[in-house]
Amino acid sequence: MNRLLYPIVASALITIVPFLLTFEKGQDITRGLIGYEYFALLLLFVFLKDKLPTSLRVACATKQSMFKSLVCVVFLSVIVCALLAVAWLDLQNLLAIKGWATGWYGVLPFVTCGLAIAMMWKVKPFSVSAISFILFVALIAHLFAYNQYAAQPLAQFPLVDYMSRTAPKPVARDSLPESFRAKYFTTDSATITLGFVDSTRTNVLVLVESWGIPLDSNRFAAQLRAFEGIPMQVGAHHRMYSRTRTAEREDLIYSVSRDSTGRRDTIFLPQVLHAQCVKTQFVYGGDSLVQMRNKYIRNMGFEETFFGISANSGVEPRTDRESAALLDSLLSAQDSALRFIAWTTLDTKFPLQGFMDPYKIDVAALDSAYTERLAGTLQLVADLAKKHPEVRFIVQGDHNPILSPLKFQEKFYKRWVPFVVLN
C-alpha cells in the first residue's frame, strides 16, 4: 500500500502548490487536499509506463513490439498533456477568483506536473481493476467526508470547477425583479380567489392554461392590453406546484384543519358557496378523465360540470371560444341565481397543436403561436367581462409553460403567474 502514497502525494502537490502561492490572508476558499483528476491520470500514467519495453533493442525486435511501443508512447503523451491541461485550468480557476492575470504563475503547472511525473517514474503499476476500485473508493471517501465536514473537502475537481465556472449562466428566474414589484401587486400566497371573491354577486374564476409571468415586461404589458377599458387590478402570485390540477385545487381552498387523529380536512370555497345557495359550476373544454377531474371537481363542491368531448373519440375538444360561448349562456340565464363558475382554458395547453414533435420544434414559431392563442383567450375573457359588468372575473395563470421546450420555458419566471381581477 505504500506505493499508493506516491500518486496521492503527487496529486496533492499539483493541487496545493498553486493554491498556497495565490493564498491571501483572510480569504475563505475551501480547497480539496488532492486533485481527483490528477490522481486518476497519474495512476493511468504508471500503468501505461510499465507497458514500455525496457530497452530500444527490445522495442525494435519485431514490428508488433515496435507498434505496441509507439502506441504506449502516444497514450503516455496524451496523459501528460491532459495532466498539464487540467493543472492549467485549475490555476485559471484560482486566478479567476481573485481577478489576477496569469503572469509568472503560468510556470506552476509545468513545474508541479514535472515533479509529479518524476515521483511516479519508479512506482510499480496497479492493474486496471485495481485502479477502478481505488478511484471508486476515493470518490466515496470524498463524498462521505464532505457530508461530515464540508469546510475541508478531501478531493478537488478542477475540470468540473472550470466547466461550472465557464458555463453560460441562465437568467435568474426564481424571483421577480423590484421593477415589477414596484408596478404590480405581488404575493407569495398560492390562493388568490378567496381574497377577491364578492359573495354579493356572481363570480367567475378563469384559470388560463400555461400563462406565466414573462421575463420581458413589455410582453406582459402587451398581454394586459386585452383588458383596457375594464376596471381591473393586476398582480402576480407564486404557485407552489406547476400543475393545472394543483392550481384548480389550491386556489379554491377555503380552510384547512386537522382532526384529533391528525388527518387533514380541507374545505373548498365552492362547498361554502354552495351551502349559501350559490350555484357552483365548472367548465373545461377537455376530457373529464384527464387528471381525474371527473372525481375531484365534484368533491370540491361544484354541483354542475361541463366537459368537452374526449379527443380519444375522434372529436376535437371544445375550444376556448366554444367554452366562452357556454360561459356566456350560463351568465345570461334568467334564473336570477348567484353563481360561482370556474373555467380552465385549453387553447394554450402544451404540447400545442402543430408542435407535437419535441425534436422538430421551431421555438420562434412556437412562441408566435402561443402568443396568438393566449391573446385570443384573454380577449374572450375581456369580451365576457365587458358584456357582463355585474360579474366579477378573477383571471389567473395556472402555471408557467412548464411543459414547453426548455428554450421557451426560459422566457418566463419559475412558478410565478399573473392574476387580473375585472369588474
Side-chain angles (χ1 to χ4, degrees), residues 366-386:
L366 175 70
D367 194 344
S368 177
Y370 168 84
T371 301
E372 181 181 356
R373 297 180 192 186
L374 177 62
T377 297
L378 296 181
Q379 189 60 55
L380 290 171
V381 176
D383 292 342
L384 285 171
K386 291 176 182 178

Side-chain angles (χ1 to χ4, degrees), residues 93-113:
N93 291 338
L94 288 169
L95 297 177
I97 294 174
K98 304 174 182 301
W100 293 356
T102 302
W104 69 269
Y105 293 105
V107 303
L108 291 178
F110 299 94
V111 173
T112 55
C113 290

Side-chain angles (χ1 to χ4, degrees), residues 118-140:
M119 291 175 60
M120 301 300 297
W121 196 258
K122 295 295 183 180
V123 176
K124 294 182 179 180
F126 296 90
S127 65
V128 173
S129 58
I131 291 175
S132 301
F133 179 73
I134 291 170
L135 292 177
F136 174 75
V137 171
L139 181 60
I140 295 301

Side-chain angles (χ1 to χ4, degrees), residues 154 299 312:
L154 290 181
N299 292 338
N312 296 329

Side-chain angles (χ1 to χ4, degrees), residues 302-374:
F302 288 102
E303 57 182 306
E304 194 172 10
T305 57
F306 302 88
F307 292 102
I309 304 298
S310 171
N312 296 329
S313 66
V315 180
E316 291 294 325
R318 185 191 296 122
T319 64
D320 285 352
R321 182 170 296 279
E322 293 169 327
S323 294
L326 171 61
L327 195 64
D328 183 29
S329 66
L330 296 176
L331 294 175
S332 302
Q334 301 300 316
D335 56 9
S336 70
L338 293 181
R339 300 172 185 273
F340 178 82
I341 305 174
W343 171 29
T344 299
T345 71
L346 197 59
D347 283 4
T348 48
K349 182 176 178 59
F350 285 89
L352 298 182
Q353 291 295 324
F355 299 90
M356 306 300 289
D357 189 344
Y359 301 104
K360 298 180 181 179
I361 291 181
D362 183 341
V363 175
L366 175 70
D367 194 344
S368 177
Y370 168 84
T371 301
E372 181 181 356
R373 297 180 192 186
L374 177 62

